[in-house]
Amino acid sequence: MKFPIFKIWDVKKKNRFFDKLTYTGLLIPTILSASFVVLIILFITERGVAPFLPSQYGDLSVNFLRFMTGTTWYISPNIYGIFFIVINTLYVVFLSALLAVPVSVFTALFIAKMTPKPISGFFQTVVELLAAIPSIVFGVFGLGVITDVVKKIATVFGMQTAGGISALSTVLVLAIMIMPTVTLLSITAIKAVNRDMENNSLALGATKIQTLFKVTLVSAKSGIFAGIILGIGRALGEATAVSMVAGNAGTGPDFNIFNTTRTLTSTMLLGLKETTGLDYDIRFSVGVVLIIVIIVTNLLLNAAKKRIGKFS
Amino acid sequence: MKSRKRFITDKIYQSLITLISLIGLVILIAVFVFVFNKGSSLLSWDLLTGDYYSTVYDGYYDSELTTNLFVAPDDLDSDTYFSTRWGIALKDDLDREGHDYILIVYVDTESPLANLPDKNNEGEMVYMASGQSLDKIIFSDNTIMLSSKGAEAAISQFESATGIKDIMFTTAGKGIRGSLITTMYLIILTLIVALPIGILTAIYLHEFAPKNNKLVNILRRMVEMLTGVPSIIFGLLGAAVFIPIVSTVTGTEGGNLISGSLTLAVIILPVIISSTEETLKTIPDEYRQASLALGATKSQTTFKVILKSSAPGILSAVLLSIGRIIGESAALIYAIGTSIKDEIIVTERSTSLAVHIWSVMSGETPNFELASAISIIILLVVFVMNLSVKMIVKKISY
Amino acid sequence: MENAFTINQLNLKYGEKKALDQITMDIPKNQITALIGPSGCGKSTLLRTLNRMNDLIDNVRIDGDIRYEEQDIFAKEYDVINLRTKVGMVFQKPNPFPMSIFDNIAYGPRCQGIKDRKVLQEIVERSLINAALYDEVKDRLKESAKELSGGQQQRLCIARAIAMEPDVILMDEPTSALDPIATAKIEDLILELKKKYTIVIVTHNMQQAARISDNTAFLLMGELIEYDKTDIIFSNPKETKTEEYITGRFG
């Protein structure tokens, strides 16, 4: 029994039309998805540029040069300075990376190369769970535990802190938050290293540790570095947890880790409940600076990664 | 000799690495312990269903008091005081600021106090219940009971009273029902927006897009760039773009749940797109070939065969997204706001669980207990989501 | 004798690599034509041009023509999807869709718009009977196709292809992934199917070609070395290369 011929033909035409429709139809959500990046850049820049334009704010507009070079965040009514905040942010992120990277790499080595499957699976789950903890919870933890720890450390050094709220707390919290990212990516990089190379090293009489450090880590270098870049990117953008333990110092830059500090993100969140007008819009300007800092840092680090890669 | 020294050095290094690797585990446990410690005492059904804002009620009782005596239930603490004539148990307690107040521990269902006429609203009733605080009573013989006198004194006044002109009590606040409902609304609305857009984008990029096409590569690159954007920037996007749009459409001022959902949708969009694409990659090409060889069109192949097989992968994406939505704070602070509400309306603002934590932690007296209690809930959900995804992934690879 | 396909000077290139070189042959109706040759000789490629599955690969360049039902299937206006409903294909590895047995077979007709439950049931039953699978699965049509054994899955794929009521069934090494018993069952089935359909089968198993096919084409490095009735190819081949391949000197 053949299908009635005319029926097939109708359906075929419909199918073909539907196919073309689907193709165009699928393009729309794709373009939409791709457009958000553009929207972000456009609209945030638009709002962020406004405080500097006399056409928007008249006499109350902010002086751009003072903004970019200032060492005090806010002097009423319209003097804002962001320079020291950028320095503080980079300082705090750099320190947290300094702390987190060794711990992450060692943990990755441990999980990937030094433990049998069930144990390494357990520890990997531990790291994945840490990665899943939202930043607000780290903020609560930071305010509740980390600040106490910092208070104790401060007394050991004979320093004063504002109840533990300090740059050091920020560094510790950030280190905890980027450790899972760097660890997970390092695990992937380390696992991808050629087993034969490692076996060769052992066969030449090297110890396990020598092999791990001289062969495995060296080969996994670029993957690990990629993880570090990702982690640093996240640290730069981390807002909630940081704003809870940083303290929002008004001036700077300040390199004393026991003093309060301020990051670009904490500036954006501080006092958001009661703001309108210029104080609200200036946060968009800070946002623009944040985006620029992240992009520039990424470019610089990626360039460094390429150069290191050349030497392997 | 030399090799023995090397052997020992090796072992030392290995132990060092092992110790350092334990730091992660220690931190995870520390977070859990801290949060459970501070917050578990607060976890209760009342917390989940209660209002955040307390209400003060005024009632009175001028009917006949029954001669039946009430019996105290067995599970009362030793420091509770019970009134046999009114069927109510009171206890002294300290509030978070350290002030004394009288806590109502138990109200018998038959107690006259369980249903009182409302002094302020003719014809309405008010209800006393455990968890509330007893503020002030003016008895019918004009004696006054003040909460500062303590529970024991209050109970003896109850025992000798025959009627009540005015009894003031305050409901326990600090409930998170509003934020709980808000979070659920946000999850549903966000998924409704982001799932179709994300899945269709992934389908286009993987199944339909011409390969090695410059424009397609640009689109793909632009989608990938979204993954590196910090949440607070998405919050700015929400404030700059979605709030104005939603304001003009719904007529509300400022942010609301819709602008929040739209912002969250952009945040989880890259998660959905990459998860779906990964799943599509695992579907064997033979299915596509067999389908086309049977005379199906490309769209029929995609929607009837491929999409069905992608279901577990898409489910993983949904679970991961729920975990992300529940934990998101910075973006929503900008895209909605930080006002805690008990009545949740989609076109108005309120807080998600995470933002609720932010709200009670910022300010002069951070409420660690409430923040920790909510954190427990958030952590449980996030962990369940993550572990479920792991199980799904294991199942797929069989 | 009518021909299902007339192939004329067919050339096919993957990028720079030439996969088919000046192939000219006719494929008779209602007979089994086998394509044999060593790995990489182009037999699968040739098979896939017959239902234009090669279109799915990038960088493919084809010239020459293939006529099906008097029409050049490479013509611009030619309806490829229609072609595939009339020229079915069974692949090397059994690949039922992750659906029930019923849905697998009903898939093709459903795509063509058949929705009537009764019609679909008839089609599924008929296809399963003709694929010699009905008795084994008639009580579990709603179960997942993945639960069947390898041999059953392949018969399911054949049933799936038959459900479209094609004129031709192309088979790309259909038994190479199966055990000998399943292979024997499918070979019997193919001989039965010949009565209603034209069959073109690619096989690297010469004995299989000798057992079941009416005509055999021997390909080597993209060229059609010899094409004749199976008896002749296997007992009295005209070309030396054919003889060398048959007797196992290479391949």
Side-chain angles (χ1 to χ4, degrees):
Chain A
M1 181 193 76
K2 287 264 183 188
F3 319 142
I5 301 178
F6 62 88
K7 207 164 185 187
I8 305 181
W9 194 33
D10 272 339
V11 166
K12 285 200 179 131
K13 275 226 134 152
K14 190 171 80 176
N15 280 343
R16 226 57 45 76
F17 170 68
F18 197 65
D19 224 29
K20 279 221 165 70
L21 192 69
T22 313
Y23 185 83
T24 346
L26 287 178
L27 204 50
I28 296 177
T30 309
I31 296 184
L32 183 62
S33 302
S35 69
F36 285 117
V37 189
V38 176
L39 289 181
I40 288 177
I41 298 179
L42 272 181
F43 284 96
I44 296 182
T45 318
E46 186 197 6
R47 280 300 272 272
V49 162
F52 305 106
L53 303 176
S55 50
Q56 291 267 349
Y57 275 95
D59 287 333
L60 236 49
S61 68
V62 180
N63 182 308
F64 186 67
L65 202 56
R66 279 227 204 110
F67 180 70
M68 294 307 292
T69 59
T71 55
T72 307
W73 171 236
Y74 178 58
I75 307 173
S76 172
N78 66 338
I79 300 183
Y80 288 98
I82 204 175
F83 176 67
F84 80 101
I85 305 181
V86 175
I87 303 288
N88 274 339
T89 308
L90 291 172
Y91 178 59
V92 155
V93 167
F94 172 69
L95 285 182
S96 70
L98 215 56
L99 264 186
V101 168
V103 174
S104 307
V105 173
F106 284 174
T107 309
L109 218 49
F110 179 73
I111 294 179
K113 290 281 168 193
M114 288 170 58
T115 48
K117 264 243 171 86
I119 300 185
S120 76
F122 170 72
F123 275 96
Q124 176 142 354
T125 310
V126 167
V127 176
E128 286 172 3
L129 289 180
L130 271 175
I133 297 181
S135 79
I136 186 88
V137 175
F138 277 124
V140 174
F141 181 69
L143 209 49
V145 174
I146 302 283
T147 47
D148 282 344
V149 168
V150 167
K151 258 196 270 188
K152 300 214 172 82
I153 298 181
T155 38
V156 166
F157 281 89
M159 303 284 292
Q160 291 269 351
T161 57
I165 297 193
S166 59
L168 183 56
S169 302
T170 316
V171 167
L172 289 175
V173 169
L174 278 177
I176 295 177
M177 290 179 76
I178 68 179
M179 188 275 266
T181 310
V182 182
T183 307
L184 289 174
L185 272 125
S186 302
I187 292 180
T188 316
I190 291 174
K191 278 194 174 164
V193 169
N194 195 337
R195 282 278 162 83
D196 289 335
M197 253 202 303
E198 295 169 344
N199 288 335
N200 265 320
S201 168
L202 291 170
L204 286 169
T207 64
K208 184 156 186 170
I209 291 295
Q210 284 176 321
T211 308
L212 286 180
F213 276 84
K214 294 183 185 225
V215 177
T216 315
L217 280 188
V218 169
S219 310
K221 220 170 21 180
S222 69
I224 296 179
F225 206 84
I228 298 177
I229 297 179
L230 196 61
I232 290 184
R234 297 225 172 128
L236 286 170
E238 175 43 53
T240 322
V242 163
S243 65
M244 287 166 86
V245 292
N248 277 307
T251 58
D254 192 343
F255 296 108
N256 183 338
I257 54 174
F258 291 105
N259 286 343
T260 56
T261 185
R262 176 191 277 261
T263 63
L264 292 166
T265 49
S266 74
T267 307
M268 288 163 72
L269 278 183
L270 212 229
L272 192 55
K273 277 184 187 176
E274 309 91 27
T275 50
T276 48
L278 184 58
D279 204 48
Y280 186 76
D281 284 348
I282 200 80
R283 292 151 199 272
F284 285 84
S285 324
V286 177
V288 174
V289 174
L290 178 64
I291 296 178
I292 296 178
V293 167
I294 294 182
I295 294 181
V296 168
T297 315
N298 251 290
L299 287 175
L300 287 176
L301 288 176
N302 269 303
K305 173 169 170 256
K306 283 213 180 104
R307 292 196 82 204
I308 296 182
K310 285 215 177 100
F311 291 122
S312 61
Chain B
M1 259 300 102
K2 217 174 174 192
S3 60
R4 179 142 177 86
K5 185 171 163 223
R6 272 173 63 199
F7 180 72
I8 298 182
T9 327
D10 214 58
K11 283 296 174 198
I12 295 180
Y13 277 122
Q14 286 194 31
S15 322
L16 192 63
I17 295 182
T18 310
L19 275 176
I20 294 184
S21 308
L22 291 176
I23 293 181
L25 183 58
V26 165
I27 295 178
L28 185 66
I29 296 181
V31 171
F32 253 105
V33 164
F34 173 71
V35 151
F36 262 92
N37 214 343
K38 287 272 176 179
S40 51
S41 55
L42 227 52
L43 275 183
S44 65
W45 189 247
D46 287 333
L47 181 74
L48 296 176
T49 56
D51 285 349
Y52 183 69
Y53 297 104
S54 319
T55 337
V56 181
Y57 287 118
D58 262 311
Y60 63 94
Y61 188 76
D62 54 7
S63 320
E64 277 291 314
L65 203 54
T66 64
T67 44
N68 289 347
L69 290 180
F70 289 97
V71 177
D74 305 313
D75 52 355
L76 287 184
D77 284 336
S78 50
D79 50 356
T80 334
Y81 300 95
F82 185 78
S83 161
T84 51
R85 294 189 68 208
W86 294 83
I88 177 177
L90 301 176
K91 172 178 165 179
D92 291 308
D93 203 358
L94 280 177
D95 71 10
R96 276 199 336 109
E97 271 95 41
H99 302 138
D100 295 299
Y101 74 100
I102 297 182
L103 173 65
I104 302 173
V105 175
Y106 169 78
V107 177
D108 197 296
T109 40
E110 305 288 315
S111 164
L113 300 170
N115 305 288
L116 293 169
D118 189 338
K119 202 157 188 325
N120 298 326
N121 297 315
E122 189 81 38
E124 300 278 313
M125 301 293 278
V126 293
Y127 313 95
M128 278 181 75
S130 70
Q132 296 164 347
S133 69
L134 187 55
D135 302 331
K136 176 174 164 185
I137 310 179
I138 303 178
F139 292 100
S140 41
D141 56 1
N142 287 321
T143 44
I144 299 182
M145 180 235 82
L146 295 173
S147 63
S148 49
K149 297 291 180 198
E152 193 175 7
I155 289 291
S156 55
Q157 280 185 293
F158 263 114
E159 295 296 61
S160 52
T162 51
I164 296 178
K165 267 196 185 162
D166 187 351
I167 177 166
M168 268 183 19
F169 56 99
T170 314
T171 55
K174 306 272 179 259
I176 57 174
R177 187 192 70 240
S179 302
L180 210 52
I181 297 181
T182 305
T183 308
M184 291 196 232
Y185 269 133
L186 284 175
I187 293 178
I188 297 178
L189 289 174
T190 308
L191 286 175
I192 290 181
V193 171
L195 269 183
I197 301 180
I199 295 178
L200 293 178
T201 303
I203 291 182
Y204 176 78
L205 287 176
H206 192 260
E207 304 279 327
F208 283 81
K211 327 249 179 204
N212 299 321
N213 180 314
K214 278 220 172 98
L215 281 173
V216 168
N217 283 340
I218 293 180
L219 281 180
R220 203 186 280 268
R221 211 44 58 75
M222 287 169 76
V223 169
E224 282 168 16
M225 281 201 264
L226 274 181
T227 43
V229 178
S231 329
I232 193 165
I233 302 284
F234 284 118
L236 291 184
L237 174 72
V241 175
F242 293 129
I243 293 187
I245 293 180
V246 160
S247 283
T248 33
V249 168
T250 62
T252 36
E253 238 193 80
N256 58 25
L257 292 195
I258 300 183
S259 60
S261 294
L262 292 176
T263 311
L264 287 173
V266 182
I267 294 182
I268 66 170
L269 199 58
V271 173
I272 297 189
I273 295 178
S274 66
S275 288
T276 310
E277 254 197 295
E278 286 303 306
T279 316
L280 290 176
K281 283 188 191 160
T282 62
I283 297 183
D285 212 32
E286 287 110 48
Y287 289 166
R288 297 183 185 89
Q289 297 217 4
S291 172
L292 291 169
L294 285 168
T297 62
K298 186 141 191 178
S299 31
Q300 282 173 325
T301 307
T302 310
F303 291 105
K304 281 169 163 253
V305 181
I306 309 291
L307 207 52
K308 275 200 197 142
S309 321
S310 318
I314 295 181
L315 182 62
S316 302
V318 168
L319 293 179
L320 284 176
S321 303
I322 293 180
R324 186 78 200 265
I325 293 172
I326 248 194
E328 187 48 59
S329 46
L332 289 180
I333 294 175
Y334 266 94
I336 306 183
T338 54
S339 353
I340 304 179
K341 295 282 185 71
D342 286 319
E343 286 293 314
I344 307 300
I345 305 177
V346 161
T347 49
E348 286 183 16
R349 65 185 65 180
S350 56
T351 52
S352 71
L353 287 173
V355 179
H356 191 133
I357 297 182
W358 167 262
S359 202
V360 302
M361 289 293 286
S362 43
E364 291 91 34
T365 41
N367 187 341
F368 275 98
E369 290 76 30
L370 186 56
S372 304
I374 304 180
S375 300
I376 296 178
I377 300 176
I378 294 183
L379 283 180
L380 279 176
V381 174
V382 166
F383 284 5
V384 164
M385 293 293 145
N386 270 272
L387 293 174
S388 308
V389 169
K390 271 183 98 100
M391 282 192 335
I392 295 182
V393 167
K394 257 198 192 148
K395 236 178 149 203
I396 298 185
S397 25
Y398 284 129
Chain C
M1 170 104 359
E2 271 180 71
N3 288 323
F5 285 99
T6 311
I7 306 175
N8 198 10
Q9 304 209 293
L10 180 68
N11 290 293
L12 188 148
K13 280 167 115 170
Y14 289 128
E16 288 311 308
K17 180 169 175 270
K18 193 152 210 186
L20 294 176
D21 195 352
Q22 299 282 87
I23 310 274
T24 300
M25 59 192 281
D26 293 335
I27 305 210
K29 273 195 185 170
N30 286 99
Q31 290 187 12
I32 302 179
T33 305
L35 307 178
I36 63 172
S39 284
C41 66
K43 49 193 198 288
S44 278
T45 311
L46 176 58
L47 190 75
R48 280 163 182 258
T49 51
L50 295 178
N51 64 351
R52 284 187 58 181
M53 287 298 278
N54 277 318
D55 288 7
L56 304 175
I57 307 177
D58 304 317
N59 280 344
V60 161
R61 237 104 44 86
I62 301 181
D63 64 87
D65 61 75
I66 299 183
R67 291 191 165 264
Y68 173 75
E69 287 183 346
E70 316 285 303
Q71 291 180 298
D72 179 6
I73 68 174
F74 293 113
K76 260 213 174 107
E77 328 78 52
Y78 194 81
D79 191 342
V80 144
I81 298 193
N82 192 21
L83 175 69
R84 292 180 188 148
T85 63
K86 301 205 231 170
V87 179
M89 185 170 240
V90 175
F91 297 81
Q92 179 175 348
K93 209 175 115 206
N95 57 2
F97 299 132
M99 307 170 187
S100 69
I101 296 176
F102 186 93
D103 287 334
N104 258 283
I105 302 183
Y107 179 79
R110 277 196 179 122
C111 282
Q112 299 306 322
I114 312 258
K115 289 196 192 123
D116 191 317
R117 192 74 196 166
K118 274 208 173 139
V119 173
L120 286 173
Q121 263 177 326
E122 259 191 76
I123 296 178
V124 169
E125 238 181 79
R126 194 191 357 108
S127 313
L128 283 171
I129 293 176
N130 288 336
L133 187 60
Y134 185 65
D135 288 324
E136 289 167 59
V137 300
K138 63 180 174 217
D139 300 320
R140 35 187 183 133
L141 291 178
K142 288 298 176 186
E143 279 176 32
S144 167
K146 296 285 186 186
E147 313 257 315
L148 300 174
S149 73
Q152 288 172 320
Q153 285 187 10
Q154 192 65 305
R155 275 179 281 152
L156 175 65
C157 293
I158 295 177
R160 186 172 65 183
I162 298 179
M164 296 301 295
E165 297 256 336
D167 300 319
V168 181
I169 305 180
L170 307 175
M171 300 196 175
D172 194 347
E173 305 205 32
T175 59
S176 61
L178 302 175
D179 64 74
I181 298 180
T183 302
K185 276 200 181 149
I186 294 201
E187 285 183 10
D188 289 338
L189 175 58
I190 298 179
L191 287 168
E192 266 298 309
L193 292 174
K194 169 171 94 164
K195 297 178 189 158
K196 290 170 92 174
Y197 311 97
T198 305
I199 306 212
V200 184
I201 175 170
V202 163
T203 178
H204 65 260
N205 181 341
M206 281 185 286
Q207 289 86 345
Q208 182 173 77
R211 278 195 293 270
I212 62 176
S213 66
D214 300 303
N215 314 298
T216 302
F218 170 58
L219 285 96
L220 184 59
M221 303 223 278
E223 281 181 52
L224 178 61
I225 307 290
E226 193 170 344
Y227 177 49
D228 213 325
K229 292 217 187 304
T230 303
D231 305 325
I232 301 183
I233 293 278
F234 279 96
S235 54
N236 210 3
K238 298 202 180 91
E239 302 284 329
T240 4
K241 290 221 184 81
T242 317
E243 187 181 349
E244 287 178 0
Y245 181 69
I246 306 283
T247 53
R249 299 257 180 89
F250 66 90

